[in-house]
Amino acid sequence: FGNPHNYRINIPAATEWKGVSALNLNARTVPAQVVGAALAQKAGVAGNNSSFGQLRVNNGAGPGGTPANGLYAANEEPGSDWASRSFPDNDGGNYYSVYRDVAPKEFNYRGENPASYQNTYFKGSNVSEDDWRDIIGMLEVMGDNQTATWTSARARSVIDVEQWLRHLAVM
């Protein structure tokens, strides 16, 4: 809704461009996104590839103008290609986007009904399976209302603790 606009580019899988079939072109905090992605990857944290990119719409600026210096953050779409690169030994897992500004926004266990999670967590992979047991099980162990039953062993059964800590430290 802001100006300049962000864009999503879908590329047919049969004609991938530089190994990708989708890009998100983000207009805000461009240097932070590109440099942050590079730092995260150098630190061993799974993250998307990001580079500076330009966009022309009919040989000019798109609706809403262009970002500072005319550069967008051209971000790799987190999907199966990203998962294969980031998690080569476990690339078939579920990927979720989290929108914590949509109620309910708490990181908590909400019971066994998947609908209780679908306003906050959005599946980005294996969508047709409609299987939410992994995130429900993780939140049953890790959610903010589970401190009485939390143990290190239970946490390690549902998350890669070192990976999470590395991610949090870099972010």
Side-chain angles (χ1 to χ4, degrees), residues 113-155:
N113 183 352
S116 301
Y117 302 88
Q118 293 170 347
N119 283 340
T120 308
Y121 302 93
F122 300 88
K123 287 182 76 84
S125 61
N126 305 317
V127 176
S128 62
E129 294 174 14
D130 199 30
D131 182 358
W132 294 74
R133 289 177 293 173
D134 59 343
I135 195 139
I136 293 170
M138 184 272 297
L139 287 167
E140 190 275 325
V141 173
M142 301 297 295
D144 64 3
N145 58 347
Q146 298 301 313
T147 55
T149 60
W150 189 92
T151 66
S152 177
R154 287 189 78 213

Side-chain angles (χ1 to χ4, degrees), residues 71-84:
L71 297 174
Y72 290 83
N75 295 326
E76 171 186 26
E77 172 66 19
S80 60
D81 293 337
W82 169 83
S84 294

Side-chain angles (χ1 to χ4, degrees), residues 25-54:
L25 298 177
N26 294 340
R28 294 183 198 42
T29 64
V30 171
Q33 289 183 59
V34 174
V35 172
L39 287 173
Q41 288 183 9
K42 292 288 184 186
V45 174
N48 64 305
N49 287 326
S50 182
S51 60
F52 294 106
Q54 291 186 337

